[in-house]
Amino acid sequence: MPNNTRPLNRQDYKTLTLAALGGALEFYDFIIFVFFAAVMADLFFPADIPEWLRQVQTFGIFAAGYLARPLGGIVMAHFGDLVGRKKMFTLSILLMALPTLAMGLLPTYASAGLAAPLLLLFMRILQGAAIGGEVPGAWVFVAEHVPARRTGIACGTLTAGLTVGILLGSVVATIINTTMSAQTLHDVGWRIPFLLGGAFGLIAMYLRRWLQETPVFLEMQQRKVLAQELPVKSVILRHKKAVAISMLLTWLLSAGIVVVILMSPVWLQKQYGFAPALTLQANSIATIMLCFGCLIAGLAIDRFGASKTFIIGSLLLAASSWMFYHLSGAHPEQLFILYGLVGLCVGVVGAVPCVMVRAFPPAVRFTGISFSYNVAYAIFGGLTPVAVTMLMGVSPMAPAWYILGLSLVGFALGIVLREGSGEKTL
């Protein structure tokens, strides 16, 4: 296993760089859909249905990707715990690249009728299965390569890398929206980001050839201490507390990113009348700041521990999100600053994977994280856009209230972690 006291070496940096880059390209594939949800709602559903129903159906297909995550994640994690981290880490890329490429070639409702949204749904499900194995696998992979006292910054770096995928999606969306007319975008422009995504995925798969199996897995293999029973059975029966904490942390991670980073540009357009190009530019700034926030959270958890990191980080998230949602309309000149600040504070999620990695023993670590993370993400990540959209019928400030509630969850988890849960390196 890695020496707990040594500093990060050249091989560690290479592993982190390749893992983060590959994760960024794969995450781009998964989230690019949300940046073109409005135009795809027009193209893949009948024109004679109400606008709100079209949006709900589109976000329903977006949610299907999340709902497919648990099955794909648990299957890949099962083999990751039994036959090796690296093999599953590479397979997940291929399973993402091919459906993304296919989405860019799909017929629309006008030419294929009901088959169009059904094919879109199927591709989204395949994407969900792939990302379900990618994210937990990546966290386990990097955490098992570095010294235990550097797990926080390793996981924070990787989470920042995944966030770069969101930034890449935002940048591509901004370029396409600012260089194409609405008609060109409607006719062919929306296909470009998906075709690019397929190419990105294949590049990422190639890059992962240079990664090595983790020292932790090789040692378990040598000592013959790999899981002797079905890993998911062991997780459910013997690690209930770790699963519960990991699921609540996943709620903080998933809903924070979905609401603040993915949904807010459209909310700003509809609530305050901001131009789409302006909100996408602001979103890019927020996403860059989120990357820095993840790195800061990773450093903080290594230096100060999980409890202080989540207590302080959650309070900052509550304050910054409340300011962002309530002041952006009254002070449009402050939009970039307000969005950037809340993006930085959402970065507290960069500390989440470190707690989860430490919560499960190596023999069932991949499965434990994958089960907890993907089941919780399917519930909270998938249903959050639908829930917030429906709650906006009650209050236009629904996103602000949702993030405030989420911050309270993070604060409470910080107190629970203070009692020792998740603080120990197993």
Side-chain angles (χ1 to χ4, degrees):
M1 293 189 183
N3 181 340
N4 287 348
T5 59
R6 69 169 176 82
L8 295 178
N9 59 31
R10 186 176 178 182
Q11 183 61 42
D12 292 331
Y13 286 118
K14 178 182 175 183
T15 299
L16 280 172
T17 302
L18 290 176
L21 181 58
L25 296 180
E26 185 164 358
F27 218 69
Y28 165 91
D29 287 0
F30 187 67
I31 63 92
I32 191 65
F33 179 90
V34 79
F35 290 107
F36 293 90
V39 67
M40 295 185 81
D42 292 337
L43 290 167
F44 284 86
F45 295 101
D48 56 356
I49 62 173
E51 175 62 24
W52 68 269
L53 180 58
R54 254 207 305 266
Q55 289 297 327
V56 169
Q57 287 177 327
T58 305
F59 278 124
I61 288 180
F62 175 72
Y66 289 99
L67 297 175
R69 291 172 79 138
L71 181 60
I74 290 168
V75 170
M76 279 193 258
H78 170 83
F79 289 104
D81 276 332
L82 295 178
V83 302
R85 320 301 202 199
K86 181 184 174 182
K87 291 176 183 176
M88 294 302 106
F89 198 33
T90 305
L91 177 63
S92 66
I93 287 280
L94 183 62
L95 293 180
M96 175 62 78
L98 295 181
T100 305
L101 198 61
M103 286 171 79
L105 302 171
L106 287 179
T108 62
Y109 187 88
S111 57
L114 190 59
L118 290 177
L119 284 170
L120 182 62
L121 176 63
F122 180 61
M123 294 304 149
R124 188 67 187 160
I125 289 171
L126 290 178
Q127 282 189 324
I131 205 78
E134 163 67 20
V135 179
W139 285 333
V140 171
F141 193 85
V142 299
E144 291 186 350
H145 268 287
V146 302
R149 68 188 185 94
R150 293 284 184 263
T151 306
I153 187 57
C155 290
T157 299
L158 184 65
T159 307
L162 298 176
T163 304
V164 170
I166 302 176
L167 176 63
L168 191 57
S170 179
V171 169
V172 169
T174 301
I175 292 171
I176 288 176
N177 274 283
T178 53
T179 58
M180 292 185 180
S181 66
Q183 188 60 47
T184 305
L185 178 65
H186 189 274
D187 292 343
V188 71
W190 67 272
R191 296 184 184 275
I192 294 172
F194 294 99
L195 297 176
L196 279 175
F200 287 158
L202 295 174
I203 291 169
M205 187 177 71
Y206 175 78
L207 289 175
R208 290 199 173 163
R209 294 175 54 215
W210 307 106
L211 294 173
Q212 299 174 355
E213 184 56 86
T214 75
V216 172
F217 184 84
L218 291 174
E219 183 171 315
M220 287 193 301
Q221 200 173 41
Q222 187 176 7
R223 291 167 50 200
K224 303 189 187 309
V225 291
L226 300 179
Q228 298 300 307
E229 60 184 344
L230 195 65
V232 72
K233 177 183 175 184
S234 176
V235 166
I236 294 170
L237 292 179
R238 296 181 177 83
H239 303 281
K240 295 184 181 69
K241 190 172 185 179
V243 167
I245 289 174
S246 296
M247 283 186 163
L248 288 171
L249 285 169
T250 299
W251 183 17
L252 177 65
L253 184 152
S254 62
I257 290 178
V258 167
V259 176
V260 175
I261 303 298
L262 300 185
M263 294 187 70
S264 289
V266 174
W267 183 86
L268 288 167
Q269 293 166 31
K270 293 189 175 181
Q271 183 63 28
Y272 293 132
F274 285 109
L278 183 66
T279 61
L280 285 170
Q281 289 166 6
N283 180 262
S284 297
I285 291 171
T287 309
I288 291 170
M289 296 306 290
L290 173 58
C291 294
F292 286 111
C294 288
L295 294 173
I296 292 169
L299 289 169
I301 199 169
D302 282 339
R303 177 68 178 84
F304 304 110
S307 178
K308 290 179 181 177
T309 300
F310 280 104
I311 288 174
I312 295 171
S314 297
L315 290 174
L316 291 173
L317 176 59
S320 62
S321 62
W322 195 257
M323 289 168 56
F324 166 64
Y325 287 110
H326 285 81
L327 299 180
S328 294
H331 302 279
E333 73 281 0
Q334 301 294 326
L335 174 63
F336 287 4
I337 294 173
L338 290 168
Y339 208 172
L341 182 62
V342 72
L344 180 70
C345 294
V346 172
V348 69
V349 303
V352 166
C354 181
V355 176
M356 293 198 286
V357 165
R358 292 174 178 174
F360 296 97
V364 294
R365 180 173 287 156
F366 197 163
T367 297
I369 296 175
S370 186
F371 174 81
S372 308
Y373 172 81
N374 284 307
V375 171
Y377 219 129
I379 298 167
F380 301 121
L383 298 182
T384 289
V386 178
V388 173
T389 301
M390 294 177 73
L391 286 171
M392 281 174 61
V394 179
S395 168
M397 287 292 155
W401 287 105
Y402 194 91
I403 296 299
L404 185 63
L406 206 61
S407 300
L408 293 176
V409 171
F411 184 83
L413 284 168
I415 294 172
V416 171
L417 292 170
R418 193 175 185 175
E419 298 169 3
S421 304
E423 287 279 16
K424 296 176 182 177
T425 303
L426 300 175

